[in-house]
């Protein structure tokens, strides 16, 4: 067994003392590695940067010589060949990266950013013991072996089972014969009782997709933060970070509960089965895959479905979310530049801002749309007999347990087995090739349509639009994205331009589109701004978008066939007019 111990007795300086004992390596040296990335975040993170004061000792306590052979690997000379113990100091102040964070109230410890491993001993059992301040309590997806001590069958389970310890609040419940625990760190405006009740409602809905569970116990870790947000899936747990006062109003809470659903779905899609290029994970370098769109985008696609079936999200809320997603997609020119498969492969170098919007796709957004398109195609082709849920159940049955991964050819084989026909042409068009999505063709078969909400009597159907977005920073308005070929793009604006005035008046709204409210499509505006600390002026000819809010709604006279397919699609009743 590889034994780890983490001393957290002085957490106020974001640091810990880590010691680890490794069995005899069976050679003259032992290589210890700190991963270069962590699961759930496809980005090289250089996690070894928190290590200092590294030392190594033999079984008698004598110091061993060591050297670093690359940025993440320590090679320890071990001529006697016995067990090796190492000690080092760890700096942990990366809350938003969900890798490691220690302060005077808690510690969040993802092993990929905390504990070194030996590749030759990767399959050996491990234990982690915590020396904690008085009053702290610890939680993990790993099995508990006494107070403050966890064990796992091997490194891969340890590295996918983060530890939360500190001054926290925990809630337990059972659902569908399984144990669940929700741990909250921090305070805010969350109604914990409501959150627990809603989680308890949606977790059994996983049975609508999969016929078996890959876990007996599941842990939700929730961080209420000063501004950090995001979430990461793990083997039988997740960590969700939400700014502490973002749980109200309703749309903020829906964002949280949708994130919980998303991460829970990952327990199957990614953790139980995943693409071949990531089985097993190689923590020393990028693990490229053209199927990350399925792992992230399909998870995003199924996310609201669990909430709908559980009654946690209303049908109208789902339609509103769907309309917003369609509108955002139509304002992403990158959909015509990069295929979803290319976007998945390039996830390791994905860019944000206008570059990402104008020249690439978001694998969550585009992957969700591709999943939706495949679901509707399957339902239509099979007369409602086969859905995308069946594809994921087949993936679980064939590739669950992470003993082997799948390729896109394997998925096409599953599609052929389920329907008796080839899906190669569909795959080439929708997955391997950039292009427009026909949303009418996705909505009409299930009795829905996309459009703009009705305007008020006498109100113009269109409103002013510039095709830019901004953020407020220290009292200034900075452009963040400029949509390619939109009015602002045509006028020559770029991200980081600092808006000063529109027609001589300072824009006071945090979002510039609000500052256009008094203008009409076709108006010509004089915009004053700073670039390179120089005051400049450009002329902007205002464009137009529908004034009404984008909406998805049921068609006025739906047919029985549309209503039946809607039911097979979402497994809920068609909305009443």
């Amino acid at each position: 067994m590889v034994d780890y111990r983490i001393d957290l007795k002085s957490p106020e300086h974001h640091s810990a003392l880590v010691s680890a004992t490794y069995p005899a390596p069976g050679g003259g040296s032992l290589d210890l590695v700190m991963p270069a990335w962590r699961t759930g975040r496809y980005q090289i993170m250089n996690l070894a940067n928190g290590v200092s004061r590294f030392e190594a000792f033999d079984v008698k306590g004598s110091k061993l010589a060591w050297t670093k052979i690359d940025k993440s690997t320590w090679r320890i000379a071990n001529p006697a060949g016995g067990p090796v113990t190492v000690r080092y100091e760890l700096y942990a102040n990366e809350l938003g990266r969900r890798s490691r964070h220690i302060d005077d109230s808690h510690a969040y410890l993802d092993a990929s950013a905390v504990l070194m491993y030996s590749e030759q001993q990767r399959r050996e059992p491990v234990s982690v013991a915590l020396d904690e301040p008085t009053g702290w309590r610890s939680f993990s997806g790993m099995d508990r072996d006494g107070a403050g001590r966890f064990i796992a069958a091997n490194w891969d389970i340890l590295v996918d089972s983060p530890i939360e310890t500190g001054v926290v609040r925990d809630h337990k419940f059972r659902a569908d014969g399984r144990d669940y625990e929700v741990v909250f760190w921090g305070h805010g405006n969350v109604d914990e009782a409501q959150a627990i009740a809603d989680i308890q409602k949606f977790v059994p809905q996983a049975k609508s997709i999969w016929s078996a569970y890959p876990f007996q116990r599941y842990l939700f870790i929730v961080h209420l933060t000063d501004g950090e947000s995001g979430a990461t899936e793990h083997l039988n747990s997740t960590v969700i970070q939400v700014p502490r006062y973002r749980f109200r109003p309703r749309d903020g809470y829906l964002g949280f509960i949708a994130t919980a659903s998303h991460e829970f779905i990952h327990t199957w899609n990614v953790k139980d089965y995943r693409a071949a290029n990531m089985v097993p994970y190689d923590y020393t370098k990028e693990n490229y895959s053209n199927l990350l769109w399925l792992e992230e985008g399909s998870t995003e696609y199924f996310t609201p479905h669990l909430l709908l079936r559980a009654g946690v999200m209303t049908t109208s809320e789902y339609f509103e979310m769907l309309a917003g997603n369609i509108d955002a997609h139509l304002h992403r020119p990158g959909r015509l530049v990069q295929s979803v498969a290319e976007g998945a492969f390039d996830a390791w170098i994905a860019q944000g801002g206008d570059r990402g919007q104008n020249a690439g796709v978001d694998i969550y957004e585009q992957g969700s749309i591709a999943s939706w398109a495949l679901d509707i195609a399957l339902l239509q082709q099979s007369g409602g007999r086969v859905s995308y849920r069946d594809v994921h159940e087949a993936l679980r049955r064939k590739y669950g347990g992470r003993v082997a991964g799948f390729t896109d050819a394997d998925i096409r084989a599953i599609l052929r087995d389920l329907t008796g026909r080839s899906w190669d042409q569909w795959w080439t068009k929708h997955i391997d090739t950039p292009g427009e999505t026909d949303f009418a063709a996705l909505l009409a078969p299930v009795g829905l349509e996309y459009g703009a909400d009705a305007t008020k009597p006498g109100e113009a159907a269109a409103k002013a639009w510039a095709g830019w977005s901004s953020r407020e920073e220290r009292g200034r308005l900075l452009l963040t994205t400029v949509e390619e070929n939109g009015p602002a793009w045509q006028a020559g604006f770029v991200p980081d331009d600092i808006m000063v005035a529109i027609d001589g008046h300072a824009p006071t709204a945090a979002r510039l589109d609000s500052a256009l409210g008094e203008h009409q499509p076709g108006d010509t505006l004089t915009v004053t701004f700073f670039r390179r600390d120089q005051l400049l002026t450009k002329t902007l000819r205002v464009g137009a978008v529908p004034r009404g809010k984008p909406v998805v709604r049921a068609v006025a006279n739906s047919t029985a066939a549309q209503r039946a397919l809607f039911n097979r699609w979402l497994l809920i009743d068609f909305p009443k007019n």
Side-chain angles (χ1 to χ4, degrees):
M1 179 174 282
V2 179
D3 288 309
Y4 298 97
R5 181 169 291 276
I6 305 172
D7 185 341
L8 297 164
K9 288 295 183 67
S10 300
E12 59 275 3
H13 297 297
H14 306 298
S15 65
L17 297 176
V18 179
S19 62
T21 299
Y22 302 84
S29 65
L30 174 67
D31 284 357
L32 296 182
V33 180
M34 186 75 86
W37 65 287
R38 63 155 177 78
T39 62
R41 182 161 183 165
Y42 307 107
Q43 175 186 346
I44 296 298
M45 300 173 69
N46 296 318
L47 298 170
N49 62 4
V51 175
S52 62
R53 296 183 171 90
F54 181 89
E55 295 179 299
F57 305 88
D58 64 16
V59 70
K60 297 180 179 180
S62 300
K63 282 192 174 184
L64 296 173
W66 59 272
T67 186
K68 289 192 74 172
I69 61 173
D70 60 40
K71 63 182 180 181
S72 300
T73 307
W74 287 255
R75 177 164 292 169
I76 302 164
N78 186 33
V84 173
T85 296
V86 301
R87 291 199 296 262
Y88 53 90
E89 186 174 314
L90 182 81
Y91 184 72
N93 191 23
E94 298 179 345
L95 180 64
R97 301 213 302 174
R98 295 177 295 287
S99 56
R100 57 185 179 229
H101 184 257
I102 301 171
D103 68 12
D104 57 0
S105 68
H106 91 134
Y108 175 76
L109 307 170
D110 183 312
S112 61
V114 176
L115 305 175
M116 299 177 185
Y117 73 99
S118 163
E119 182 63 40
Q120 67 191 94
Q121 297 173 355
R122 184 167 169 172
R123 294 178 177 84
E124 301 299 328
V126 299
S127 71
V128 183
L130 306 175
D131 293 329
E132 303 167 310
T134 301
W136 282 27
R137 295 182 300 140
S138 55
F139 302 84
S140 176
M142 288 184 286
D143 292 333
R144 189 181 295 276
D145 187 30
R149 187 170 188 264
F150 300 96
I151 56 174
N154 54 56
W155 161 264
D156 287 281
I157 294 176
L158 164 64
V159 78
D160 233 338
S161 305
I163 297 170
E164 173 70 27
T165 181
V167 181
V168 298
R169 305 172 303 285
D170 69 301
H171 307 261
K172 298 179 181 179
F173 65 88
R174 281 181 65 81
D176 203 27
R178 277 158 178 76
D179 296 315
Y180 293 87
E181 197 157 17
V182 185
V183 174
F184 290 91
W185 168 70
H187 296 274
N189 64 356
V190 61
D191 182 336
E192 293 183 14
Q194 182 66 56
I196 301 304
D198 286 343
I199 292 172
Q200 193 166 359
K201 290 177 184 176
F202 80 66
V203 292
Q205 296 301 321
K207 291 186 300 182
S208 64
I209 305 173
W210 301 281
S211 63
Y213 289 82
F215 61 87
Q216 185 59 40
R217 181 174 65 89
Y218 193 90
L219 171 67
F220 291 90
I221 301 168
V222 183
H223 291 165
L224 280 63
T225 74
D226 294 330
E228 302 292 355
S229 62
T232 301
E233 71 278 3
H234 289 285
L235 200 59
N236 64 338
S237 63
T238 181
V239 56
I240 302 169
Q241 296 180 331
V242 188
R244 65 183 74 255
Y245 297 115
R246 193 173 287 175
F247 292 88
R248 299 176 195 159
R250 172 70 174 170
D251 59 348
Y253 177 74
L254 277 178
F256 159 72
I257 204 67
T259 300
S261 175
H262 179 105
E263 302 308 322
F264 184 63
I265 291 168
H266 268 317
T267 315
W268 288 265
N269 184 21
V270 169
K271 291 307 171 185
D272 191 37
Y273 55 84
R274 61 176 173 263
N277 288 16
M278 292 190 170
V279 180
Y281 288 127
D282 184 342
Y283 291 101
T284 66
K285 62 183 181 182
E286 296 89 341
N287 291 202
Y288 297 105
S289 170
N290 61 356
L291 288 172
L292 277 176
W293 70 266
L294 182 143
E295 295 172 346
E296 293 295 349
S298 295
T299 299
E300 187 75 357
Y301 173 65
F302 284 135
T303 289
H305 295 189
L306 298 194
L307 304 179
L308 277 169
R309 291 164 201 150
V312 174
M313 173 184 281
T314 67
T315 305
S316 61
E317 286 172 335
Y318 174 61
F319 287 173
E320 183 177 358
M321 185 203 76
L322 202 57
N325 291 345
I326 294 172
D327 184 62
H329 176 74
L330 294 175
H331 286 283
R332 180 181 282 273
R335 71 190 188 281
L336 305 177
V337 178
Q338 187 179 56
S339 73
V340 68
E342 292 170 333
F345 190 88
D346 283 349
W348 293 88
I349 57 170
Q351 300 184 46
D354 70 332
R355 177 64 181 169
Q357 180 186 29
N358 293 327
V361 296
D362 180 292
I363 59 173
Y364 293 81
E365 174 197 280
Q366 190 70 30
S368 178
I369 291 170
S371 301
W372 179 17
L374 183 51
D375 201 1
I376 297 299
L378 284 166
L379 288 164
Q380 284 187 287
Q381 192 274 338
S382 67
R385 181 180 60 85
V386 178
S387 78
Y388 194 44
R389 296 185 298 274
D390 298 304
V391 176
H392 280 265
E393 168 65 358
L395 287 169
R396 184 201 67 79
R397 288 179 178 273
K398 192 167 185 179
Y399 301 101
R402 303 165 303 283
V403 294
F406 54 85
T407 66
D408 51 0
D410 295 324
I411 300 171
R412 294 198 301 272
I414 288 173
L415 292 170
R416 184 176 60 250
D417 291 343
L418 288 171
T419 64
R421 53 157 282 193
S422 171
W423 288 78
D424 290 352
Q425 287 187 341
W426 187 97
W427 196 272
T428 297
K429 178 181 178 180
H430 294 273
I431 305 302
D432 293 335
T433 307
E436 292 282 9
T437 299
D438 186 348
F439 289 106
L442 298 186
L443 292 165
V446 292
L448 303 178
E449 63 183 2
Y450 171 76
D453 205 358
T455 57
K456 298 176 182 178
E459 196 172 41
K463 65 178 181 179
W465 170 70
W468 56 23
S469 61
S470 66
R471 73 173 185 273
E472 215 165 12
E473 184 178 289
R474 290 179 293 183
R476 305 180 304 174
L477 280 177
L478 278 71
L479 292 188
T480 53
T481 60
V482 179
E483 185 175 326
E484 187 170 342
N485 294 323
W489 175 283
Q490 298 286 0
F493 289 98
V494 298
D496 294 329
D497 284 346
I498 302 170
M499 299 293 100
V500 174
I502 297 177
D503 282 347
H505 298 281
T508 57
R511 300 192 62 82
L512 277 180
D513 281 348
S514 300
L516 300 177
E518 298 300 319
H519 299 280
Q520 302 298 322
D523 285 355
T524 299
L525 309 179
T526 300
V527 181
T528 308
F529 62 101
F530 277 109
R531 182 185 294 172
R532 297 184 299 274
D533 294 330
Q534 183 180 0
L535 189 64
L536 303 173
T537 299
K538 286 186 179 293
T539 299
L540 172 71
R541 184 174 178 81
V542 179
V545 291
R547 179 175 298 277
K549 183 179 179 180
V551 293
V552 166
R553 59 197 162 209
V555 297
N557 298 301
S558 61
T559 66
Q562 287 174 315
R563 293 191 294 271
L565 206 62
F566 180 95
N567 178 271
R568 285 291 300 138
W569 172 42
L570 295 177
L571 302 182
I572 61 172
D573 292 334
F574 190 81
K576 296 179 181 179
N577 291 330

